[in-house]
C-alpha cells in the first residue's frame, strides 16, 4: 500500500531561484513606499481645491490600472508565477503600483465632492473613475498583447 501524504521536495531539489517569503514581503514594502511617495509628490504638486474634480488622483489611478494591465499580461505569458516573475508581480504590481494608486483617497474625494448638495459631481467622479479604470486595465492588457506580438514578429517567432 502506497504512502498517500504529500511531502515537500528536498531542499536540494527546490528552485535556487525562488525568493524567500521575507524577501517578497520586503519587495512589496519597498515598492509600496516608492509608489506612495510618487503619489504624494504628484498629489502635492497638483492638489485640487475643495469642490474641484481631483484630477491628480483620477490620473494616478487610471495610469496605475493601465500599467497593472500591461504588467500582469506580460507576466502571464512569461511563465508560471514563480521565482523572478512572482517577485516582479509582488514588488511592482502589489507594491509599487498598489502604493501609487489609491482607493481610500478616491473614496474620500468622491464623498467630499458629493457633500453640501453636490451629489452629481461626486457620483460622476466615482462612476467615471471606476469605469475608466476598468477600460484602462483592459487597454493595458491589449497593449501588452500587441507589443508582445510585434516583438515576436521582429524576432521572427510569429504570434
Amino acid at each position: 500500500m502506497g504512502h498517500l501524504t504529500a511531502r515537500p521536495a528536498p531542499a536540494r531539489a527546490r528552485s535556487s531561484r525562488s525568493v524567500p517569503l521575507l524577501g517578497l514581503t520586503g519587495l512589496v514594502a519597498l515598492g509600496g513606499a516608492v509608489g506612495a511617495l510618487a503619489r504624494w509628490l504628484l498629489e502635492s504638486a497638483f492638489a485640487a481645491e475643495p469642490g474641484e474634480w481631483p484630477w491628480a488622483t483620477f490620473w494616478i489611478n487610471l495610469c496605475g490600472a493601465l500599467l497593472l494591465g500591461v504588467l500582469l499580461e506580460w507576466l502571464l505569458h512569461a511563465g508560471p508565477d514563480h521565482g523572478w516573475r512572482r517577485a516582479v508581480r509582488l514588488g511592482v504590481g502589489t507594491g509599487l503600483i498598489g502604493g501609487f494608486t489609491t482607493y481610500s483617497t478616491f473614496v474620500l474625494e468622491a464623498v467630499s465632492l458629493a457633500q453640501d448638495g453636490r451629489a452629481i459631481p461626486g457620483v460622476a467622479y466615482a462612476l467615471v473613475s471606476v469605469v475608466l479604470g476598468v477600460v484602462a486595465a483592459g487597454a493595458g492588457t491589449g497593449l501588452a498583447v500587441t507589443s508582445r506580438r510585434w516583438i515576436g514578429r521582429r524576432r521572427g517567432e510569429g504570434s
Side-chain angles (χ1 to χ4, degrees):
M1 189 155 152
H3 208 123
L4 298 177
T5 59
R7 295 183 187 172
R12 66 184 180 285
R14 291 185 195 139
S15 171
S16 61
R17 296 177 190 240
S18 66
V19 181
L21 180 60
L22 187 57
L24 293 173
T25 304
L27 287 174
V28 172
L30 178 62
V34 171
L37 176 62
R39 181 184 73 236
W40 178 79
L41 290 170
L42 288 169
E43 293 274 2
S44 297
F46 303 102
E49 294 296 320
E52 290 182 353
W53 189 276
W55 289 107
T57 303
F58 180 77
W59 287 113
I60 285 168
N61 286 341
L62 291 183
C63 289
L66 178 84
L67 292 172
L68 191 60
V70 169
L71 175 70
L72 294 179
E73 180 65 26
W74 268 98
L75 290 174
L76 176 68
H77 291 281
D81 187 40
H82 299 293
W84 70 268
R85 288 176 292 277
R86 178 170 289 163
V88 169
R89 178 180 59 80
L90 291 172
V92 176
T94 303
L96 182 70
I97 297 172
F100 182 63
T101 59
T102 173
Y103 184 76
S104 58
T105 301
F106 153 72
V107 170
L108 288 173
E109 289 169 341
V111 168
S112 176
L113 277 173
Q115 288 177 339
D116 301 324
R118 300 174 305 200
I120 291 174
V123 171
Y125 175 64
L127 289 174
V128 169
S129 293
V130 170
V131 169
L132 290 183
V134 171
V135 169
T141 300
L143 181 63
V145 168
T146 301
S147 65
R148 200 178 56 254
R149 287 180 181 160
W150 182 81
I151 290 169
R153 276 188 237 121
R154 298 268 306 172
R155 291 181 181 166
E157 299 170 2
S159 52

